[in-house]
Amino acid sequence: MLFSSATFLFAFLPVVALLYYLIPKRCTAARNLFLTGASLLFYAWGEPRFVLVMLLVIVSSWLFACKIEASAKSARKGFLLVAVSVDLTVLFVFKYLGFFTENLNRLPFVRLPVPQITLPIGISFFTFQAISYVVDVYRGEAAQKSLWDVMLYIAFFPQLIAGPIVRYSDFADQIHNRQESLQNWYRGGYRFAIGLGKKVILSNNLAYVADAAFSSVGNLSFSMAWIGAVGYSLQLYFDFSGYSDMAIGLGQMFGFHFLENFNYPPSSVVLSRSCGGGGISRWAVGSATMSTFRWAAAVWLQNDGSTSTFLWFGC
């Protein structure tokens, strides 16, 4: 289910918002449980079977985080490594196993069947969200004893399929202590509308420009090449920016505040320059610190015992 779809705009969002605010404000646990159920329904709308994949990642990360917190310092690093390995293995199988097998088949005398695996939408986002939780617990954050709270953090529908990846330390306090008000609802709705306009009016129409410019590469003129390049760049810009605005706006409508993660990326001189919240870059995961998210996919366990997590951005 896409934020710009009629199903989301005219059915899912109004019904979820109405039912959510019908629950008494003092019943935060009931509201959280409802949001968790709504988020699972949101993800299951297109491919229900992939909810099991997400639940596998969530449950394993929750269990390992509890184990890390309860373990002696000498054993914590080992549990962290296993937890991250499990999450990255799930990501590798669904996203890269076919590509890896195809490349292996280029070697002499290697003839392996190439698996045809459907890619679950947003798998990179919820996998790295889960890794962020485990790493934050390893670094000293209190592990959530409630599986439902961890499930809300990882599966919360505003940032589930297109980010931004939100650090657990930035989200944890808001699970049970957040400000829900009519003013926040209006501000969030306005931000969501701005993002929707960027996506539907600008990004989608710029895609037609780029496609038309590159439709005949063999006869591509200098001017059309520039039109296509600029059109495609702007299409990506407004697509990322629009989804970021919609995610932040939706979160605010339910009382959650995500850090800004998209601050004029084309004007950034250095890739790693952070935006308002201290992010990986102006393009992507602004709510994570540079020591937590970088452009790779591994966990580097340094000799001095500190840990840096390396991630790449993609869905």
Side-chain angles (χ1 to χ4, degrees), residues 66-80:
C66 292
K67 192 67 177 176
I68 289 171
E69 185 181 54
S71 298
K73 187 175 181 179
S74 58
R76 290 159 64 92
K77 189 181 294 183
F79 286 118
L80 172 67

Side-chain angles (χ1 to χ4, degrees), residues 77-119:
K77 189 181 294 183
F79 286 118
L80 172 67
L81 183 59
V82 174
V84 174
S85 298
V86 170
D87 290 339
L88 291 181
T89 298
V90 172
L91 180 64
F92 174 79
V93 168
F94 281 94
K95 192 168 186 178
Y96 297 109
L97 183 59
F99 171 78
F100 183 75
T101 306
E102 287 177 358
N103 282 275
L104 277 182
N105 286 339
R106 296 177 184 272
L107 298 175
F109 310 112
V110 178
R111 293 294 180 270
L112 298 174
V114 179
Q116 302 299 318
I117 303 175
T118 304
L119 180 66

Side-chain angles (χ1 to χ4, degrees), residues 284-299:
V285 192
S287 52
T289 61
M290 281 300 293
S291 63
T292 303
F293 293 109
R294 298 195 190 268
W295 302 92
V299 172

Side-chain angles (χ1 to χ4, degrees), residues 1-2 38 56 61-62 86 113 116-117 119 121 125 141 143 146 169 180 204 224-225 271 296 306 311-312 314:
M1 191 188 308
L2 300 176
L56 170 65
S61 299
W62 172 69
V86 170
Q116 302 299 318
I117 303 175
L119 180 66
I121 187 170
F125 290 103
E141 291 286 337
S146 170
S169 57
E180 299 153 325
N204 288 0
M224 286 302 292
L271 175 66
S306 61
L311 306 177
W312 80 95

Side-chain angles (χ1 to χ4, degrees), residues 115-179:
Q116 302 299 318
I117 303 175
T118 304
L119 180 66
I121 187 170
I123 187 171
S124 294
F125 290 103
F126 66 71
T127 300
F128 293 144
Q129 190 96 325
I131 292 175
S132 170
Y133 169 62
V134 175
V135 170
D136 276 350
V137 171
Y138 174 82
R139 287 175 170 170
E141 291 286 337
Q144 279 286 353
K145 299 301 185 289
S146 170
L147 174 60
W148 295 105
D149 288 349
V150 175
M151 199 174 296
L152 176 61
Y153 161 65
I154 296 175
F156 190 34
F157 74 87
Q159 46 80 53
L160 175 57
I161 61 173
I165 298 173
V166 181
R167 285 192 62 179
Y168 169 68
S169 57
D170 296 325
F171 192 90
D173 290 340
Q174 302 182 64
I175 294 177
H176 295 286
N177 299 286
R178 56 182 180 270
Q179 296 297 320

Side-chain angles (χ1 to χ4, degrees), residues 174-225:
Q174 302 182 64
I175 294 177
H176 295 286
N177 299 286
R178 56 182 180 270
Q179 296 297 320
E180 299 153 325
S181 65
L182 195 59
Q183 186 179 36
N184 274 338
W185 174 266
Y186 286 145
R187 287 179 177 174
Y190 176 78
R191 185 70 178 269
F192 177 81
I194 293 295
L196 184 64
K198 289 179 181 179
K199 168 63 179 171
V200 175
I201 300 174
L202 297 176
S203 178
N204 288 0
N205 285 293
L206 284 165
Y208 294 122
V209 175
D211 290 345
F214 293 128
S215 59
S216 55
V217 178
N219 300 317
L220 194 62
S221 65
F222 179 80
S223 59
M224 286 302 292

